[in-house]
Amino acid sequence: MDTWAFHQYARSPSIDGRLVGETTRVIIRLLRGGLPSERSRLLLERLRTPPAEVTSSGGPLSFTYGFRNEPDHLSFLAISSWREFSDIGDAGGGTSVRRPQAPLGDLVDGVQIEHYELVEDSPGLPILDGAVLGLVWGRIAPNAEGAAHDMVRQVRDEIARAGVLALHVGRRVVDNRSEIVVVALWSSRIALHAFAKGRASGTINPEFLKLMTEWRFETYDCLGPDRFLVPGSGPAVLLADDGGRYVDASPGVEALLGVPGEFILHGQLEDITPEESRAEIRVAWRSFLEAGHQEGTVVLRRHDGTRLTVKFRARANCPHPGLHASLLSLPGDDSLDGQRLEQVVAEAFEGAELAPGPTPVPATA
């Protein structure tokens, strides 16, 4: 098992939050950081060749990892589960020992480690080529923790049918505030995307997010043991219907807007438009449909409230009548300037069914 990165370094519960029942409950351990894409092969080689002394018994119950494309680097996430917190200390040399260098610190920048108590038993998280780790983290509003965990339980069967192979749900208390982390191992990006497209409430139920005072949603692509190249996410393309409702989004949207494209589906133009510009966006949309094409720069609102200036190229009735494509990129990025938009869209959604489908059936959880 590729576990050595988690044996090198451990932190006590007092460093990153109070774990309820820390000696009797399974512990979820998250390690995250960033790295330039050129280091990814070295990182994968390191993860897949653990030293002999860390492959003995007493290691983690499960271990997997994935990569997320950012505009100028890769984000890395590794997740393991442990029977007891003391096991992490035994493997890493003691839970109270601060090592001079965090695990993988020579390859991964800004390493952060967090521990959560596993709320419910769950299957392991194997390393599967083409699988996707979907991570939802939230700081729960006062008196809402029970409701938040109930909503996760209610959706387990639904997402299992949709392609989730394993689900880890953890909680911890930091500064007297409860936090929740939900890590779902999707069998493939296609399965996650199909789930989001067919669910009226989207990948995450908005009612669940209302229970959070802060939250984030990220996806990480998993690579099999024979792959040493992390693929790029491709261009950021949004497809909208005549009414300006987003009906599809390419994987590249996450690198640009900070949330997976699956989260944007079923939303409206206004959802990523700053509040002061929302009255104008509908006028601009009607003008675009009449003209059939448009390009320029626009300020978008990311889910965390920050603003992002992007350049765009848009074409109506592309790739099919009733679908309208917008290609987004950062100012200064001219990598796709010479390509026809129809070609970019075709490559971004290669193999996908892009015709507008029936209205999704509302979900109950």
Side-chain angles (χ1 to χ4, degrees):
M1 183 179 293
D2 301 326
T3 60
W4 82 272
F6 288 88
H7 292 92
Q8 286 188 305
Y9 181 76
R11 301 165 74 178
S12 83
S14 62
I15 294 173
D16 62 352
R18 176 168 56 87
L19 300 175
V20 178
E22 66 194 45
T23 60
T24 58
R25 292 277 193 154
V26 173
I27 304 301
I28 300 175
R29 180 173 170 86
L30 302 182
L31 181 152
R32 61 174 70 239
L35 69 155
S37 58
E38 57 266 25
R39 290 189 204 155
S40 60
R41 183 179 182 90
L42 292 174
L43 175 58
L44 287 166
E45 289 175 347
R46 182 84 60 83
L47 288 166
R48 292 166 183 173
T49 54
E53 61 267 23
V54 301
T55 58
S56 59
S57 60
L61 302 173
S62 64
F63 175 73
T64 195
Y65 52 83
F67 295 86
R68 178 176 187 250
N69 283 279
E70 307 282 357
D72 57 355
H73 68 280
L74 293 173
S75 285
F76 173 70
L77 170 71
I79 175 173
S80 62
S81 62
W82 302 76
R83 179 63 62 188
E84 295 183 359
F85 198 88
S86 59
D87 290 343
I88 306 176
D90 293 341
T95 59
S96 63
V97 176
R98 281 186 177 274
R99 299 297 178 98
Q101 180 171 288
L104 305 175
D106 57 329
L107 295 175
V108 179
D109 302 323
V111 171
Q112 298 179 358
I113 298 178
E114 300 170 337
H115 300 111
Y116 296 83
E117 175 190 19
L118 186 69
V119 175
E120 299 179 31
D121 291 335
S122 176
L125 296 171
I127 299 172
L128 299 175
D129 191 38
V132 173
L133 289 167
L135 183 147
V136 178
W137 169 88
R139 181 165 289 120
I140 305 174
N143 304 314
E145 183 172 4
H149 285 283
D150 283 344
M151 292 190 73
V152 175
R153 294 187 188 100
Q154 291 166 10
V155 81
R156 275 181 175 271
D157 290 343
E158 181 186 0
I159 60 177
R161 291 191 299 269
V164 169
L165 304 177
L167 187 72
H168 275 9
V169 183
R171 55 98 55 176
R172 68 175 184 174
V173 178
V174 178
D175 297 330
N176 296 319
R177 297 291 301 277
S178 294
E179 296 180 359
I180 185 173
V181 63
V182 182
V183 181
L185 180 68
W186 289 86
S187 59
S188 67
R189 177 73 61 175
I190 293 174
L192 169 60
H193 199 70
F195 174 74
K197 287 189 69 173
R199 196 170 193 251
S201 60
T203 315
I204 307 175
N205 191 330
E207 295 302 314
F208 176 81
L209 296 180
K210 289 179 181 178
L211 303 176
M212 307 295 137
T213 59
E214 298 177 49
W215 62 271
R216 63 176 179 265
F217 174 31
E218 304 165 344
T219 64
Y220 295 82
D221 294 305
C222 302
L223 303 181
D226 298 326
R227 296 181 65 192
F228 288 91
L229 178 65
V230 179
S233 58
V237 179
L238 292 171
L239 299 182
D241 62 16
D242 292 338
R245 181 178 67 97
Y246 291 119
V247 297
D248 221 322
S250 72
V253 167
E254 181 168 9
L256 195 66
L257 298 185
V259 290
E262 288 79 10
F263 183 78
I264 296 172
L265 299 185
H266 312 304
Q268 301 286 334
L269 298 170
E270 291 82 358
D271 295 339
I272 59 173
T273 302
E275 187 173 353
E276 66 273 13
S277 303
R278 290 176 182 173
E280 303 170 6
I281 194 66
R282 283 295 163 180
V283 175
W285 180 252
R286 289 192 294 269
S287 298
F288 158 64
L289 293 180
E290 291 173 1
H293 60 87
Q294 199 172 77
E295 62 180 79
T297 60
V298 64
V299 176
L300 300 182
R301 179 185 180 277
R302 293 161 61 103
H303 92 277
D304 60 2
T306 59
R307 309 299 173 88
L308 178 70
T309 299
V310 301
K311 65 177 184 178
F312 72 93
R313 277 195 289 154
R315 182 166 295 278
N317 299 306
C318 171
H320 304 302
L323 285 180
H324 315 293
S326 298
L327 170 65
L328 309 177
S329 59
L330 293 175
D333 180 0
D334 57 0
S335 60
L336 298 174
D337 286 357
Q339 294 191 35
R340 295 173 59 247
L341 185 55
E342 292 84 352
Q343 178 184 351
V344 175
V345 173
E347 292 175 355
F349 295 99
E350 185 177 4
E353 174 56 60
L354 298 180
T359 301
V361 177
T364 57

